[in-house]
Amino acid sequence: MTAVNDNKPRVLSGIQPSGNLTIGNYLGALKQWVEVQHDYDCFYCVVDLHAITMPQDPVELRQRTRESAAMYIAAGIDPEISTIFVQSHVPAHSELAWMLTCMAPLGWLHRMTQFKDRTAKQTQESIGAGLLNYPSLMAADILLYHADLVPVGDDQNQHLEFTRDLAQRFNHLYGDTFTLPSVMNPQAGARIMGLDNPTAKMSKSEASENHAIFLLDELPRARKKIMRAVTDSQREIRFSDEPERAGVNNLLTIYQAISGESNAAIEAHFADKGYGDLKRAAADCVLSTLEPLQARYYELMNEAGYLDSVLRLGREKASAIADETLKLAQERMGFLAPS
Ligand code: AQP
């Protein structure tokens, strides 16, 4: 069932304010969000409830939540067109997440690779149950808005499959309630790898110095990180899925995601060039993205009250849809409506 108050199909996506946003978050998610916003009815949330599945400092979490919202706008999300809101401002997310958690088989949750990766080095005593239930909350985020499409990096594809499976289970048990969403990955940049370790995904919460380009990195610093990126001892510059060529492939992917050029054109361009040229070209691309984005970001952070008004309006628009879906799901599940 698709919500009927807008003829455009709907999009929902979010980013955790669990650290400073990276070029991976931008190329995997934000850039697509901007591109689809004129063709879809878009809802973009700062998913603070997801962030607390790992320990967060309260002061930093609050601050990063605002900063992330400002970054969405700085990256090109137009609050006049898209709805920007904070996940915890709409309590329906937590309420539906609980209902879905109760229906989510443990086997499905334990199969999630993100859960396995994040808990690999932890003891049972130190793993919060929220980390296991993360996909049920993500399913609630998406299903509350009857989202047709979810633009994300490819690390989230398994969670999208889980969302579809859970929605189908609910619809089968209680009647047609939720829309089954489709995933949307960017053609280039669906998985940007760490610059210091190109076999691991670039992550905002990874601590090592040369791992990630942050969207707010000073430009010379961002350039330096790319110039120091791990490559290999070969010379040929071409796209490759061989693990030992992952560093060069990652730089080519970053270059491609920003320039929009084809594989063949890029390989021809670098045919008689060296790794230093590739790094300089990738750095130029990244800096051409960061510079205007940072200028807009700092402007926004200085506009007193503007961000709050965007988030207030976003909350109202999101709540109106989410509350209605929650009510329907509660009714279908057999909850007594308050009189
Ligand atoms: N390296 C990446 N390449 C492409 N896309 C990426 N995304 C994240 N990293 C990359 C996409 O960004 C969106 C928001 O991700 P998230 O913050 O909700 O969670 P995440 O995938 O766990 O991102 P991080 O940066 O790795 O966060 P931490 O370090 O806190 O776990 C998603 O669409 C994601 O695919």
Side-chain angles (χ1 to χ4, degrees):
M1 188 201 312
T2 303
V4 287
N5 65 347
D6 196 311
N7 293 329
K8 289 179 183 169
R10 192 166 283 157
V11 155
L12 179 126
S13 199
I15 298 180
Q16 305 179 71
S18 47
N20 297 316
L21 305 198
T22 70
I23 195 78
N25 298 129
Y26 176 79
L27 297 176
L30 275 170
K31 188 167 178 286
Q32 297 193 84
W33 298 3
V34 175
E35 286 161 3
V36 298
Q37 67 179 335
H38 293 281
D39 300 324
Y40 292 85
D41 181 24
C42 297
F43 286 74
Y44 297 128
C45 53
V46 180
V47 288
D48 52 352
L49 297 170
H50 281 282
I52 61 163
T53 54
M54 296 297 271
Q56 302 295 334
D57 174 83
V59 174
E60 279 182 15
L61 179 62
R62 214 175 340 267
Q63 191 171 331
R64 282 184 179 144
T65 301
R66 281 180 66 80
E67 289 169 356
S68 299
M71 196 53 92
Y72 291 6
I73 302 171
I77 307 296
D78 182 349
E80 302 280 326
I81 297 175
S82 304
T83 303
I84 300 175
F85 67 103
V86 175
Q87 185 188 28
S88 66
H89 290 180
V90 182
H93 288 250
S94 306
E95 294 186 54
L96 184 62
W98 174 249
M99 292 157 67
L100 296 177
T101 294
C102 294
M103 296 181 52
L106 265 183
W108 294 7
L109 291 165
H110 277 289
R111 273 198 289 278
M112 296 294 120
T113 51
Q114 189 179 76
F115 175 72
K116 288 194 253 183
D117 290 348
R118 291 202 171 157
T119 55
K121 292 188 192 125
Q122 296 186 51
T123 62
Q124 288 285 318
E125 288 307 307
S126 65
I127 302 168
L131 211 50
L132 181 66
N133 288 318
Y134 181 110
S136 305
L137 176 59
M138 182 164 156
D141 301 337
I142 296 164
L143 300 179
L144 277 174
Y145 299 89
H146 301 290
D148 300 284
L149 206 61
V150 183
V152 283
D154 73 5
D155 61 318
Q156 297 299 329
N157 290 4
Q158 197 186 24
H159 290 161
L160 245 295
E161 270 310 306
F162 173 94
T163 300
R164 287 174 63 89
D165 290 345
L166 208 53
Q168 259 169 328
R169 175 176 270 232
F170 191 104
N171 289 350
H172 176 72
L173 287 172
Y174 301 111
D176 198 17
T177 307
F178 297 124
T179 301
L180 301 193
S182 299
V183 71
M184 181 188 182
N185 296 139
Q187 278 186 342
R191 185 174 297 223
I192 301 297
M193 311 307 280
L195 296 175
D196 60 341
N197 174 8
T199 57
K201 190 192 78 146
M202 183 184 285
S203 274
K204 65 175 107 63
S205 54
E206 168 60 55
S208 51
E209 168 67 20
N210 290 317
H211 172 80
I213 305 280
F214 295 107
L215 297 180
L216 292 179
D217 270 346
E218 285 176 12
L219 302 185
R221 185 149 184 237
R223 182 178 289 281
K224 201 182 271 179
K225 286 182 184 175
I226 295 179
M227 296 311 290
R228 287 185 180 164
V230 168
T231 50
D232 54 51
S233 55
Q234 301 185 35
R235 303 172 72 134
E236 200 189 356
I237 299 181
R238 60 174 168 80
F239 287 93
S240 165
D241 54 11
E242 298 156 58
E244 59 277 16
R245 309 233 56 209
V248 170
N249 193 66
N250 196 35
L251 292 168
L252 285 169
T253 302
I254 292 172
Y255 179 86
Q256 181 171 44
I258 297 173
S259 70
E261 292 170 26
S262 68
N263 282 23
I266 294 172
E267 287 178 353
H269 176 77
F270 289 108
D272 53 357
K273 298 195 168 72
Y275 288 173
D277 300 305
L278 171 61
K279 287 178 172 178
R280 269 188 293 280
D284 290 344
C285 277
V286 168
L287 266 55
S288 71
T289 298
L290 297 193
E291 199 171 12
L293 185 147
Q294 292 183 1
R296 180 75 184 117
Y297 172 85
Y298 289 116
E299 235 172 63
L300 281 163
M301 291 307 273
N302 283 329
E303 275 180 57
Y306 174 68
L307 202 55
D308 294 318
S309 68
V310 168
L311 294 179
R312 206 175 312 117
L313 185 67
R315 174 189 168 198
E316 280 167 21
K317 283 167 72 181
S319 294
I321 295 164
D323 290 351
E324 199 182 305
T325 312
L326 176 68
K327 205 167 133 211
L328 178 66
Q330 287 173 329
E331 199 182 292
R332 294 262 159 93
M333 240 183 167
F335 291 1
L336 177 67
S339 52

Coordinates of all heavy atoms in Angstrom, one line a residue, residues 13-16 18 22 24-25 27-29 47 114 118 134 151-156 189-193 201-206, ligand 1:
S13 N 15.8 7.7 3.6 CA 17.2 7.3 3.9 C 17.7 8.1 5.1 O 17.1 9.1 5.5 CB 18.1 7.4 2.8 OG 19.3 6.6 2.9
G14 N 18.8 7.6 5.7 CA 19.3 8.3 6.9 C 20.8 8.0 7.1 O 21.3 7.1 6.5
I15 N 21.4 8.8 7.9 CA 22.8 8.6 8.3 C 22.9 8.7 9.8 O 22.3 9.6 10.4 CB 23.8 9.6 7.6 CG1 23.7 9.4 6.1 CG2 25.2 9.4 8.1 CD1 24.6 10.4 5.3
Q16 N 23.7 7.8 10.4 CA 23.9 7.9 11.9 C 24.8 9.0 12.2 O 25.9 9.2 11.7 CB 24.6 6.6 12.4 CG 24.0 5.3 12.0 CD 24.8 4.2 12.6 OE1 24.9 4.0 13.8 NE2 25.5 3.5 11.7
S18 N 27.1 9.2 14.2 CA 28.0 8.5 15.1 C 29.5 8.9 14.9 O 30.4 8.3 15.4 CB 27.9 7.0 14.8 OG 27.9 6.7 13.4
T22 N 31.8 11.1 6.2 CA 33.0 10.9 5.4 C 32.6 11.0 3.9 O 31.4 11.1 3.6 CB 33.5 9.5 5.6 OG1 32.6 8.6 5.0 CG2 33.8 9.1 7.0
G24 N 32.8 8.6 2.0 CA 32.0 7.4 1.8 C 30.5 7.7 2.0 O 29.7 7.3 1.2
N25 N 30.2 8.3 3.1 CA 28.7 8.7 3.3 C 28.2 9.5 2.2 O 27.1 9.4 1.8 CB 28.6 9.4 4.7 CG 29.0 8.6 5.9 OD1 29.7 9.0 6.7 ND2 28.5 7.4 6.0
L27 N 29.4 9.8 -1.1 CA 29.3 9.2 -2.4 C 28.3 8.0 -2.3 O 27.6 7.8 -3.3 CB 30.6 8.7 -2.9 CG 31.6 9.8 -3.1 CD1 33.0 9.3 -3.5 CD2 31.2 10.8 -4.2
G28 N 28.2 7.3 -1.2 CA 27.3 6.2 -1.1 C 25.8 6.6 -0.9 O 24.9 6.0 -1.4
A29 N 25.6 7.7 -0.2 CA 24.3 8.1 0.2 C 23.9 9.5 -0.2 O 23.1 9.7 -1.1 CB 24.1 7.9 1.7
V47 N 19.7 9.6 11.9 CA 19.2 8.4 12.7 C 20.0 8.3 14.0 O 20.9 7.4 14.2 CB 19.2 7.1 11.8 CG1 18.1 7.2 10.8 CG2 20.5 6.9 11.1
Q114 N 26.7 -7.1 9.1 CA 27.2 -5.9 9.9 C 27.2 -6.2 11.4 O 28.2 -5.9 12.1 CB 26.2 -4.7 9.7 CG 26.8 -3.4 10.3 CD 25.8 -2.2 10.0 OE1 24.8 -2.1 10.7 NE2 26.2 -1.4 9.1
R118 N 30.7 -6.1 13.5 CA 30.8 -5.2 14.7 C 31.0 -5.9 16.0 O 31.5 -5.3 16.9 CB 29.6 -4.3 14.8 CG 29.6 -3.4 13.6 CD 28.8 -2.1 13.8 NE 29.0 -1.2 12.7 CZ 28.2 -0.3 12.3 NH1 27.1 0.0 13.0 NH2 28.5 0.5 11.3
Y134 N 19.2 -3.7 15.4 CA 19.4 -2.5 14.5 C 18.6 -2.7 13.2 O 17.9 -1.7 12.8 CB 20.9 -2.4 14.2 CG 21.4 -1.3 13.3 CD1 22.2 -0.3 13.8 CD2 21.1 -1.4 11.9 CE1 22.6 0.7 12.9 CE2 21.6 -0.4 11.1 CZ 22.4 0.6 11.6 OH 22.8 1.6 10.8
P151 N 17.8 4.9 -1.0 CA 19.2 5.1 -1.6 C 20.3 5.0 -0.5 O 20.3 5.8 0.4 CB 19.2 6.5 -2.2 CG 18.0 7.2 -1.5 CD 17.1 6.2 -0.9
V152 N 21.1 4.0 -0.6 CA 22.1 3.7 0.4 C 23.4 3.1 -0.3 O 23.3 2.7 -1.4 CB 21.6 2.6 1.4 CG1 20.7 3.1 2.4 CG2 21.0 1.4 0.7
G153 N 24.5 3.1 0.5 CA 25.7 2.3 0.0 C 25.4 0.9 0.1 O 24.4 0.4 0.8
D154 N 26.2 0.0 -0.5 CA 25.8 -1.4 -0.6 C 26.0 -2.2 0.7 O 25.6 -3.3 0.8 CB 26.5 -2.1 -1.8 CG 28.0 -2.3 -1.6 OD1 28.5 -2.0 -0.5 OD2 28.6 -2.7 -2.6
D155 N 26.7 -1.6 1.7 CA 26.8 -2.2 3.0 C 25.4 -2.4 3.6 O 25.2 -3.2 4.5 CB 27.7 -1.5 4.0 CG 27.2 -0.1 4.3 OD1 26.8 0.6 3.3 OD2 27.3 0.3 5.4
Q156 N 24.4 -1.6 3.2 CA 23.1 -1.7 3.7 C 22.1 -2.6 3.0 O 20.9 -2.8 3.4 CB 22.5 -0.3 3.8 CG 23.2 0.7 4.7 CD 23.3 0.2 6.2 OE1 22.3 -0.4 6.6 NE2 24.4 0.5 6.8
G189 N 30.7 4.2 -6.4 CA 30.8 4.8 -5.0 C 29.9 4.1 -4.1 O 29.7 4.6 -2.9
A190 N 29.4 2.9 -4.4 CA 28.5 2.2 -3.5 C 29.3 1.6 -2.3 O 28.7 1.3 -1.3 CB 27.8 1.0 -4.2
R191 N 30.6 1.5 -2.4 CA 31.4 1.1 -1.3 C 32.8 1.7 -1.4 O 33.6 1.2 -2.2 CB 31.5 -0.4 -1.2 CG 32.2 -0.8 0.1 CD 32.2 -2.3 0.3 NE 30.8 -2.8 0.5 CZ 30.5 -3.7 1.4 NH1 31.4 -4.2 2.2 NH2 29.2 -4.1 1.5
I192 N 33.0 2.8 -0.7 CA 34.3 3.4 -0.7 C 35.1 2.8 0.4 O 34.6 2.6 1.5 CB 34.2 5.0 -0.5 CG1 33.3 5.6 -1.6 CG2 35.6 5.6 -0.4 CD1 33.9 5.6 -3.0
M193 N 36.4 2.5 0.1 CA 37.2 1.7 1.0 C 38.1 2.7 1.8 O 38.4 3.8 1.4 CB 38.0 0.7 0.3 CG 37.2 -0.2 -0.7 SD 35.8 -1.0 0.1 CE 36.6 -2.4 0.9
K201 N 35.8 -1.3 4.5 CA 35.0 -0.1 4.1 C 35.4 1.1 4.9 O 35.7 1.1 6.1 CB 33.5 -0.5 4.5 CG 32.5 0.5 4.0 CD 31.1 0.3 4.6 CE 31.1 0.9 6.0 NZ 29.8 1.4 6.4
M202 N 35.4 2.3 4.2 CA 35.7 3.5 4.9 C 34.5 3.8 5.9 O 33.4 3.8 5.5 CB 35.8 4.7 3.9 CG 36.1 6.0 4.6 SD 36.1 7.4 3.4 CE 37.6 7.1 2.5
S203 N 34.9 4.0 7.2 CA 33.8 4.3 8.2 C 34.1 5.5 9.0 O 35.3 5.8 9.3 CB 33.8 3.1 9.2 OG 33.0 2.1 8.7
K204 N 33.1 6.2 9.4 CA 33.3 7.5 10.1 C 33.8 7.2 11.5 O 34.5 8.1 12.1 CB 32.0 8.3 10.1 CG 30.9 7.7 10.9 CD 29.7 8.7 10.9 CE 28.6 8.4 10.0 NZ 27.9 7.1 10.3
S205 N 33.5 6.0 12.1 CA 34.0 5.8 13.5 C 35.3 5.1 13.6 O 35.7 4.7 14.7 CB 32.9 5.1 14.3 OG 32.5 3.9 13.6
E206 N 36.0 4.8 12.4 CA 37.3 4.2 12.5 C 38.3 5.3 12.9 O 38.4 6.4 12.3 CB 37.6 3.6 11.1 CG 39.0 3.2 10.8 CD 39.5 2.1 11.8 OE1 38.8 1.1 11.9 OE2 40.5 2.4 12.4
Ligands
AQP1 N1 32.4 3.6 2.8 C1 31.2 3.8 2.3 N2 31.0 3.8 1.0 C2 29.7 4.0 0.5 N3 28.7 4.3 1.3 C3 28.9 4.3 2.6 N4 28.0 4.5 3.6 C4 28.7 4.5 4.8 N5 30.0 4.2 4.5 C5 30.1 4.1 3.2 C6 26.6 4.8 3.4 O1 26.3 6.0 4.2 C7 25.0 5.9 4.7 C8 25.0 6.1 6.2 O2 25.6 5.1 6.9 P1 25.4 5.0 8.4 O3 26.1 6.1 9.1 O4 24.0 4.9 8.7 O5 26.1 3.7 8.8 P2 27.3 2.9 8.3 O6 27.0 2.3 6.9 O7 27.8 2.0 9.3 O8 28.4 4.1 8.1 P3 29.7 4.3 8.7 O9 30.4 5.5 8.2 O10 30.6 3.0 8.6 O11 29.4 4.6 10.2 P4 29.9 3.9 11.6 O12 31.4 4.1 11.5 O13 29.3 4.7 12.7 O14 29.5 2.5 11.5 C9 24.5 4.5 4.3 O15 23.7 4.6 3.2 C10 25.7 3.7 4.0 O16 25.6 2.7 3.1

